[in-house]
Amino acid sequence: MKAESEYMNMKQTMAYLGLKSDRAFYAMLAAGLPQIIVGKSKRYSKRSIDQFMKEHEYSKVTA
């Protein structure tokens, strides 16, 4: 059984977020999605992604 990692590559991150488009992923990066860069390797933390999504949550309230 493979242990689930806290850190994911771009493909895994897109699947985690349910994204089908690279364009949507890059829009999230432009909006501030945190990434970890070491050399040429880029990784994304599940905790950071979840926090980013909470910070960008929008709820429209109508009167």
Side-chain angles (χ1 to χ4, degrees), residues 2-59:
K2 186 177 178 181
E4 198 169 311
S5 176
E6 164 68 17
Y7 301 100
M8 304 174 290
N9 61 26
M10 180 180 162
K11 184 177 178 180
Q12 293 167 322
T13 301
M14 287 180 64
Y16 183 72
L17 289 168
L19 301 175
K20 304 281 188 226
S21 163
D22 287 357
R23 185 176 286 183
F25 180 76
Y26 289 119
M28 293 183 88
L29 285 176
L33 182 69
Q35 56 183 333
I36 301 160
I37 302 172
V38 178
K40 293 184 180 181
S41 178
K42 295 179 183 177
R43 294 291 180 264
Y44 307 89
S45 162
K46 288 181 183 179
R47 278 186 242 150
S48 294
I49 292 167
D50 292 339
Q51 182 64 38
F52 172 82
M53 294 301 282
K54 283 183 183 182
E55 290 171 0
H56 288 83
E57 188 172 24
Y58 175 75
S59 176

